[in-house]
Amino acid sequence: MLAWLLIAGVNGVAQKALAQEYTTTGTTQAQESINLNSPLLSPEEPMAQVTSVSQLKDVQPNDWAFQALQSLVERYGCIAGYPDSSYRGNRALTRYEFAAGVNACLDRVNELITTATNDLVTREDLAILQKLQSEFATELAILRGRIDSLEARTGEIEAYQFSTTTKLSGLLIVGIQGRTNNRGDVNPRDGQKDTDDGGTNIDVISLAQLYLTSQITPSSYLFTGLLDGNGTSGPRFTNSVSRNDVLLGYEFPTDNLIVSDLNFHWLVTDKLAVMIGTEGVSMPAAFRGPNRVESAATGPLSYFAQRNPILNMGYGHGGIAIDWQFAKRASLQAIYTSYQPGNPGKGSGLFDGTTTTGVQLLLTPSDTLDVSLYYVNNYSSDGCLLTFVGDECLTTVNTTTGKSAPLQTNAVGATVTWQISPRITAGAWGGYTKSYIPGRSGNVETTNYMVFLNFPDLFAQGNLGGIYVGQPPKITSSDLPVGNNVPDFVNTGLGRAGGQPGTTTQIEAFYRFQLTNNISITPGIIHILEPGHTPDSDSVTIGILRSTFSF
């Protein structure tokens, strides 16, 4: 009975004494944690002491521990449950909970001894305990040895662990990809293919990232990221218009190891979180993504298929972001970020250079539907929006000065995802930008869209299939002052008003094999029609095999 007192009963009493079980705030995007990529934990108070085992709705008479629980409840009064009248007997037990439960039960035993309760321990009980001790002496000795061994190993782990306050995580992506032959009608766009054929090219791209999450206080932490990337998915057409015809999500060549993230996260209240830093403060990091498989490591293969390019605008490094869960199914994210916050030169810095202000409203009308609406205001010192997809540079480079005119841009977009069934999710996004040169007449407008299907657990648990079809950002009209309009400048060199002559369409399909919890392999294919929004250019097809290891 004492053994059951220490083991079977401690799980419930520990909750009453001091332990807390922590749960996330929900399962949908608008209900998820609001502390910018760190789970929000909330305590669940235990219920009062139960007087009958029948009060625990998840304990049945045929459960193997039913008699022990019944005895602890009715004889010793040493069991408590949760507010929903559940016991949760299969839940894992921490050392703190075990200590608290033992202490509570022993207090109860001491109380019974003090009051000299007659039926506490009888001679028959003591005889049974002595007999059990003799019969299982060998097993108890083995168990004692195992406990001593576990304590020694635990002590060694604690002595040599990475840090008591910092968690180390990371990932390695290695992709093998090859492109088809293609030539482009680029300059001028006269129906004649004038670019050299880069030929079929097979190469390797790698990306390695390490993350350090350092707990500062129970409600704040410092996030540091290191990144090193090698390789590109070239060759591409040698012109500024179609330089981003295919850009893979993990394609980020660096000359050496760089600091990709350096930001501080603070959960101000249960409903409000703040992120501030000099690196990694961007909309993809601060805004919750409605597309729940968004990931260059385990999701779609191309950079374009990750999210609406509007949400990449400005490629922010340093700034501040907030996340406010103002209702159960609604949240608001906002950000101000700078491309070169640490550069004190003219046209740079936190306020004088390329800067971006954005806001997103995320709604979850039901458990299967996510809707996000977003607005972005961007100032680009050189006319490039830094989305690295489709038409991103919207003013021409002046041949005399070697510089392009700056742009002020207003952008709006929306993303919708619908979980049709547990294994089928449909979604779409659309975006529109309107830009002007400060102090001058005219505007340049772009549009983009994407529709997609995701297939979680396709053929096997943990696997993922996906089909994405969309149009990368395209200049639909441009009536900036003559000499600044990109489409005609590429065609004639004059830069007169007008939009792109063609429309690029990207088709992407992939299937991720989840080999283990930490290793996946993803084969896929991307086909590009009319790359560079040029109607007479050859299509581009790229085959990809991505492998990912995370820890």
Side-chain angles (χ1 to χ4, degrees):
M1 184 59 65
L2 182 60
W4 287 119
L5 181 67
L6 297 181
I7 298 174
V10 69
N11 189 42
V13 178
Q15 316 309 319
K16 185 176 179 181
L18 63 81
Q20 298 168 326
E21 180 179 19
Y22 295 96
T23 58
T24 57
T25 57
T27 57
T28 59
Q29 286 291 323
Q31 294 174 273
E32 284 180 354
S33 61
I34 59 99
N35 60 341
L36 303 174
N37 302 326
S38 179
L40 174 62
L41 304 180
S42 60
E44 185 173 347
E45 295 296 331
M47 66 180 288
Q49 175 70 49
V50 298
T51 57
S52 173
V53 74
S54 62
Q55 292 178 252
L56 302 172
K57 64 181 182 181
D58 58 347
V59 176
Q60 304 300 324
N62 58 350
D63 290 337
W64 67 273
F66 178 81
Q67 290 184 349
L69 292 173
Q70 186 179 40
S71 176
L72 289 171
V73 170
E74 299 175 1
R75 185 174 182 182
Y76 294 98
C78 201
I79 286 291
Y82 285 91
D84 61 354
S85 298
S86 64
Y87 180 65
R88 306 182 192 177
N90 293 324
R91 183 182 156 274
L93 184 69
T94 69
R95 291 168 64 90
Y96 287 117
E97 292 170 331
F98 184 82
V102 170
N103 183 67
C105 285
L106 290 178
D107 285 346
R108 176 60 177 159
V109 170
N110 289 331
E111 178 184 347
L112 293 172
I113 292 175
T114 302
T115 57
T117 302
N118 292 330
D119 61 349
L120 172 63
V121 179
T122 65
R123 289 184 177 274
E124 290 77 8
D125 291 335
L126 294 176
I128 292 173
L129 285 175
Q130 188 174 14
K131 183 178 180 182
L132 288 173
Q133 184 178 9
S134 300
E135 289 182 358
F136 292 96
T138 303
E139 289 79 0
L140 289 172
I142 295 174
L143 181 60
R144 189 178 301 110
R146 289 180 178 178
I147 293 174
D148 292 341
S149 176
L150 285 174
E151 288 181 347
R153 292 172 61 185
T154 301
E156 183 179 358
I157 292 172
E158 291 177 348
Y160 293 97
Q161 65 180 332
F162 177 74
S163 172
T164 58
T165 59
T166 299
K167 179 182 178 181
L168 174 65
S169 58
L171 62 87
L172 173 65
I173 305 172
V174 178
I176 301 175
Q177 47 278 318
R179 299 165 62 102
T180 58
N181 297 332
N182 61 286
R183 297 183 63 194
D185 172 26
V186 176
N187 190 12
R189 292 162 169 166
D190 55 4
Q192 302 296 319
K193 295 179 176 59
D194 48 37
T195 63
D196 294 333
D197 184 355
T200 301
N201 185 57
I202 298 176
D203 60 350
V204 176
I205 296 176
S206 64
L207 181 72
Q209 291 179 278
L210 288 176
Y211 303 110
L212 301 172
T213 305
S214 303
Q215 199 77 28
I216 307 300
T217 70
S219 60
S220 66
Y221 66 93
L222 179 68
F223 185 71
T224 306
L226 302 175
L227 182 149
D228 183 48
N230 293 280
T232 64
S233 59
R236 295 186 174 88
F237 296 146
T238 55
N239 68 96
S240 61
V241 176
S242 59
R243 64 177 181 170
N244 300 320
D245 51 10
V246 177
L247 189 69
L248 300 179
Y250 51 90
E251 187 173 345
F252 194 83
T254 60
D255 294 331
N256 46 43
L257 187 68
I258 65 170
V259 177
S260 60
D261 295 272
L262 185 59
N263 44 72
F264 177 74
H265 299 241
W266 177 32
L267 185 61
V268 183
T269 71
D270 289 345
K271 303 296 183 181
L272 179 66
V274 174
M275 175 170 67
I276 185 169
T278 59
E279 288 290 345
V281 183
S282 61
M283 286 183 283
F287 288 6
R288 306 187 213 177
N291 184 6
R292 304 184 190 185
V293 304
E294 173 184 311
S295 169
T298 58
L301 294 164
S302 70
Y303 189 56
F304 175 39
Q306 299 297 321
R307 67 191 68 87
N308 194 320
I310 287 175
L311 298 177
N312 294 325
M313 191 180 298
Y315 198 70
H317 288 269
I320 185 171
I322 65 170
D323 192 347
W324 177 31
Q325 186 83 43
F326 63 89
K328 182 179 180 180
R329 292 185 175 272
S331 64
L332 188 71
Q333 295 86 45
I335 189 172
Y336 175 86
T337 182
S338 170
Y339 178 60
Q340 293 180 312
N343 189 336
K346 185 178 180 180
S348 299
L350 190 59
F351 302 104
D352 192 34
T354 296
T355 59
T356 303
T357 303
V359 62
Q360 175 181 256
L361 175 65
L362 182 62
L363 306 171
T364 306
S366 68
D367 290 344
T368 60
L369 185 65
D370 291 321
V371 179
S372 67
L373 308 171
Y374 32 90
Y375 164 78
V376 178
N377 181 276
N378 171 263
Y379 175 78
S380 171
S381 58
D382 62 358
C384 290
L385 303 182
L386 299 178
T387 61
F388 304 104
V389 173
D391 289 340
E392 57 146 358
C393 291
L394 308 183
T395 57
T396 62
V397 176
N398 188 296
T399 56
T400 302
T401 64
K403 298 180 179 180
S404 53
L407 279 181
Q408 188 75 48
T409 299
N410 291 286
V412 293
T415 303
V416 178
T417 61
W418 174 35
Q419 186 180 2
I420 301 173
S421 72
R423 299 202 175 188
I424 302 177
T425 300
W429 74 62
Y432 167 80
T433 71
K434 187 173 184 179
S435 312
Y436 63 92
I437 301 173
R440 305 189 68 179
S441 62
N443 298 280
V444 53
E445 302 176 11
T446 75
T447 62
N448 79 85
Y449 74 86
M450 177 72 79
V451 294
F452 57 87
L453 288 171
N454 291 319
F455 304 96
D457 299 327
L458 183 61
F459 302 131
Q461 186 76 24
N463 292 354
L464 174 69
I467 300 174
Y468 286 65
V469 179
Q471 172 209 291
K474 169 190 173 180
I475 298 175
T476 55
S477 68
S478 183
D479 59 356
L480 300 172
V482 173
N484 290 279
N485 300 289
V486 170
D488 184 67
F489 185 83
V490 174
N491 190 37
T492 67
L494 300 177
R496 299 168 298 189
Q500 293 284 33
T503 299
T504 299
T505 301
Q506 174 172 315
I507 305 170
E508 176 175 339
F510 66 90
Y511 182 73
R512 185 191 74 211
F513 294 90
Q514 195 68 41
L515 303 181
T516 69
N517 290 336
N518 304 100
I519 302 174
S520 66
I521 296 178
T522 309
I525 188 169
I526 299 173
H527 186 66
I528 307 292
L529 301 169
E530 299 187 11
H533 302 295
T534 305
D536 294 311
S537 293
D538 289 342
S539 299
V540 176
T541 302
I542 177 170
I544 304 145
L545 182 63
R546 178 188 67 194
S547 58
T548 302
F549 170 74
S550 62
F551 63 93

